């Protein structure tokens, strides 16, 4: 499903609504909601909306468990940290119990952190497969998502749920969820904003074979829903102001 929204504001409200609906449904069905947050810049406004009324008052934060789709292996107070962005925009403002916020801290030993995170996920999900109720993902202009970059060995991982990767030009490693983990989610929602993403979004959504597989194209929930929330600029077709249409 692709929803083309007028702008970042409309897209972020639509993403917050999807989060709220998924949270209420999961808590009603299983007594808890497990969500993997995206990093980067695009989701910030969605998190800020969730941290404000009415979501701050209305959502079952005590039953919400926060994970991340990926993290940069930098100190926890480094502005590049995905967890720090989410704490400042959302988690410092809502009553999610600290023990239910599962940040990936991989500054010292990325490999060890990836193994530990996988163990945490296997313990949390108990069953033999990870079933996030919701995964938020962004789209990089090279077609990466989470920290799965074009040409990465991690794209071939079929069993493990986490991997250590790196992005050329960055001095730090990253820890990312892998396709076997991401594709078991009940719902995956991409958030894509801005004209700079138009070319890669078109390439990712295009049908047919491609030379170097764009990682975002490999996100195909095996038993879940895939939603693209994009703004008019990224879609290459401006939309009138107002709420994001279904
Ligand atoms: C990261 C993100 C990454 C991000 C995309 C889009 O840690 O960098 O997980 O996958 O979602 O690069 O980033 P923007 O939203 O900043 O464009």
């Amino acid at each position: 499903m692709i929803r083309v929204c007028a702008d970042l504001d409309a897209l972020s409200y639509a993403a917050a609504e999807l989060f709220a609906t998924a949270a209420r449904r999961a808590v009603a069905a299983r007594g808890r909601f497990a969500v993997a947050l995206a990093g980067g810049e695009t989701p910030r406004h969605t998190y800020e909306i969730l941290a404000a009324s009415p979501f701050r008052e209305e959502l079952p934060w005590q039953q919400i468990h926060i994970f991340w789709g990926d993290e940069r292996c930098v100190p926890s107070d480094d502005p590049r940290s995905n967890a720090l962005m989410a704490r400042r925009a959302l988690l410092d403002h809502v009553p999610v119990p600290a023990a239910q916020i599962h940040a990936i801290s991989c500054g010292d030993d990325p490999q060890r952190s990836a193994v530990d995170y996988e163990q945490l996920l296997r313990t949390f999900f108990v069953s033999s497969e990870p079933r996030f109720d919701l995964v938020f993902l962004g789209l990089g202009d090279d077609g990466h998502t989470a920290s799965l970059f074009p040409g990465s060995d991690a794209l071939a991982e079929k069993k493990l749920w986490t991997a250590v990767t790196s992005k050329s030009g960055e001095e730090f490693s990253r820890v990312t969820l892998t396709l076997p983990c991401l594709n078991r989610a009940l719902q995956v929602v991409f958030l894509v904003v801005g004209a700079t993403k138009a070319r890669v979004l078109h390439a990712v959504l295009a049908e047919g074979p491609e030379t170097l597989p764009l990682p975002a194209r490999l996100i195909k929930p095996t038993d879940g829903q895939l939603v693209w929330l994009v703004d008019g600029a990224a879609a290459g077709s401006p939309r009138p102001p107002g709420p994001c249409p279904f």
Side-chain angles (χ1 to χ4, degrees):
M1 172 200 288
I2 301 174
R3 296 173 59 187
V4 184
C5 309
D7 52 26
L8 173 67
D9 212 39
L11 180 144
S12 302
Y13 271 94
E17 287 291 353
L18 285 172
F19 181 106
T21 302
R24 292 185 182 111
R25 183 177 297 143
V27 169
R30 288 177 297 282
R32 71 181 191 187
F33 173 58
V35 57
L37 299 182
E41 189 48 40
T42 303
R44 186 194 300 272
H45 192 38
T46 297
Y47 303 161
E48 289 167 344
I49 291 166
L50 288 167
S53 294
F55 298 105
R56 180 177 51 205
E57 291 81 18
E58 292 178 1
L59 291 190
W61 297 106
Q62 300 290 334
Q63 285 76 40
I64 292 182
H65 296 254
I66 303 284
F67 298 84
W68 274 266
D70 69 326
E71 182 57 282
R72 297 89 175 271
C73 297
V74 295
S76 57
D77 60 352
D78 185 306
R80 296 168 296 188
S81 161
N82 289 336
L84 182 62
M85 185 275 271
R87 288 186 192 281
R88 286 180 172 161
L90 173 58
L91 301 173
D92 289 349
H93 311 284
V94 293
V96 175
Q100 294 173 199
I101 299 175
H102 307 290
I104 304 171
S105 105
C106 58
D108 299 333
D109 182 346
Q111 200 53 51
R112 176 77 256 155
S113 305
V115 169
D116 290 348
Y117 209 62
E118 169 126 10
Q119 193 48 52
L120 171 76
L121 291 169
R122 289 185 184 274
T123 304
F124 181 82
F125 286 112
V126 183
S127 72
S128 61
E129 59 185 12
R131 284 292 263 164
F132 282 106
D133 297 294
L134 174 64
V135 173
F136 276 145
L137 289 174
L139 176 66
D141 49 20
D142 61 354
H144 81 258
T145 191
S147 284
L148 296 167
F149 298 97
S152 167
D153 294 346
L155 293 171
E157 180 54 57
K158 296 276 182 276
K159 288 201 179 60
L160 297 179
W161 299 353
T162 64
V164 177
T165 63
S166 59
K167 181 179 183 180
S168 61
E170 288 180 345
E171 78 279 8
F172 51 81
S173 299
R174 291 160 171 257
V175 169
T176 187
L177 297 186
T178 57
L179 295 171
C181 182
L182 294 167
N183 281 333
R184 286 303 305 153
L186 285 169
Q187 185 177 45
V188 178
V189 178
F190 275 96
L191 311 178
V192 187
V193 165
T196 61
K197 302 288 175 78
R199 198 178 51 75
V200 68
L201 179 66
H202 181 75
V204 168
L205 296 179
E207 294 304 321
E210 54 180 346
T211 48
L212 182 66
L214 297 173
R217 269 186 85 165
L218 302 174
I219 298 293
K220 301 181 178 115
T222 48
D223 180 18
Q225 183 193 30
L226 177 60
V227 178
W228 287 87
L229 288 182
V230 305
D231 74 344
S237 61
R239 285 295 194 276
C244 195
F246 276 91

